[in-house]
Amino acid sequence: MGQHKLSDEVSLAVIKKACSNCNLRELCLPLCLSREEMLRLDDLVSTRRRVRRGDHLYRAGEEFDAIYAIRSGFFKTGVLLSDGRDQVTGFQMAGELLGLDGISTERHTCNAIALEDSEVCAIPFSRLESLSREIHTLQHHFHKVMSREIVRDHGVMMLLGTMRAEERLAAFLLNLSQRFTARGFSPSEFYLRMTREEIGSYLGLKLETVSRAFSRFQEEGHIAVQQKHIRILNVAGLKSLMHPSH
């Protein structure tokens, strides 16, 4: 009996470790699930898909059937404006979710494009809904994930509506730093997968404005920039650029 229990514990530990390596923390690790529930969830997220740099994971208007947990890589989401410009609406990295935009209308409302060779785990939404009805802790946690997305969108609206150009870029770099830290990477040294133009589109700034802000941050000793490689030298300095109310 004791040996059987030990075997169950080892199996569960292996599954949890696998999820951790897949960066599926948002769906798996925070949940107090039984061994059987973990196996069912592991089966649900077992479909993996590779997306090459520059390729679409999905396009605006396509039928929605799954959400995606990013196993590795980096993506941008955006919409095509009537004048032909591409408006960037977000950047997503390993451990984050894509595809939530399609839940309400059952069609994707934006494009998701890989900024580097990436891999995602496809989670069929109908199966996730069905499993969530049976596993209430999963349903509760999925609601928390969706709530975080709403809060994040609200934060971007505040950023665009009330911050000056340099405040926006400082907030953007500090946010990236926090997200890299949460994934076990360096908080002060990272590689920007997106272009200056894409950063400007996301922050509502012109390319020249973004470039000037980067130059000023470097001149004042807040950061060191070598093409897309960023080192944050003065976190307090970046924070001081932001209005106290933010």
Side-chain angles (χ1 to χ4, degrees):
M1 186 74 175
Q3 186 175 1
H4 178 69
K5 182 179 179 182
L6 178 60
S7 176
D8 283 355
E9 289 174 352
V10 170
S11 298
L12 183 58
V14 169
I15 293 169
K16 285 185 175 180
K17 183 178 180 182
C19 286
S20 177
N21 289 339
C22 287
N23 292 302
L24 296 181
R25 303 178 187 87
E26 286 193 318
L27 284 179
C28 304
L29 290 184
L31 305 174
C32 299
L33 301 179
S34 68
R35 177 176 180 271
E36 181 185 357
E37 289 169 340
M38 284 293 293
L39 286 170
R40 293 175 69 187
L41 186 60
D42 187 57
D43 179 61
L44 178 68
V45 300
S46 61
T47 305
R48 293 178 185 168
R49 178 176 164 187
R50 295 192 176 190
V51 188
R52 291 189 178 277
R53 178 184 176 186
D55 286 351
H56 284 74
L57 175 60
Y58 55 80
R59 298 174 185 269
E62 286 183 350
E63 185 177 348
F64 165 76
D65 58 6
I67 58 174
Y68 303 91
I70 304 173
R71 175 178 170 82
S72 63
F74 217 97
F75 286 82
K76 72 171 181 178
T77 50
V79 295
L80 189 64
L81 302 179
S82 57
D83 61 5
R85 287 183 298 123
D86 183 31
Q87 173 64 56
V88 177
T89 57
F91 299 105
Q92 297 79 21
M93 63 177 69
E96 296 177 345
L97 297 177
L98 282 166
L100 297 175
D101 60 287
I103 294 176
S104 61
T105 63
E106 298 185 350
R107 289 196 175 276
H108 288 292
T109 59
C110 65
N111 303 304
I113 302 170
L115 293 179
E116 63 181 3
D117 290 349
S118 305
E119 187 176 31
V120 299
C121 289
I123 306 168
F125 190 68
S126 58
R127 290 179 60 194
L128 177 63
E129 279 192 310
S130 176
L131 193 59
S132 294
R133 285 192 289 270
E134 298 175 33
I135 306 175
H136 295 302
T137 47
L138 175 60
Q139 184 181 58
H140 176 69
H141 192 73
F142 185 62
H143 288 163
K144 287 176 66 176
V145 169
M146 293 184 69
S147 176
R148 281 201 296 271
E149 291 297 315
I150 293 170
V151 170
R152 184 182 299 171
D153 288 345
H154 179 70
V156 173
M157 289 174 63
M158 290 289 292
L159 184 151
L160 296 180
T162 61
M163 288 186 176
R164 293 177 290 107
E166 291 179 355
E167 288 179 309
R168 296 181 193 186
L169 184 59
F172 175 73
L173 293 174
L174 290 170
N175 175 263
L176 280 181
S177 172
Q178 291 167 356
R179 289 159 72 188
F180 279 123
T181 301
R183 282 146 188 82
F185 299 112
S186 169
S188 60
E189 193 167 350
F190 45 84
Y191 181 82
L192 294 178
R193 275 73 172 179
M194 67 291 291
T195 65
R196 300 283 194 275
E197 190 172 9
E198 287 167 336
I199 293 172
S201 176
Y202 178 62
L203 297 178
L205 301 172
K206 292 181 179 180
L207 174 59
E208 312 85 74
T209 306
V210 173
S211 297
R212 280 199 302 269
F214 267 113
S215 296
R216 182 185 166 186
F217 288 179
Q218 184 161 240
E219 288 168 4
E220 295 182 349
H222 300 312
I223 63 174
V225 183
Q226 188 172 10
Q227 296 181 325
K228 288 190 173 185
H229 186 261
I230 301 289
R231 278 193 301 132
I232 297 179
L233 306 175
N234 186 0
V235 173
L238 285 180
K239 288 182 177 178
S240 71
L241 294 171
M242 299 166 61
H243 193 276
S245 65
H246 302 304

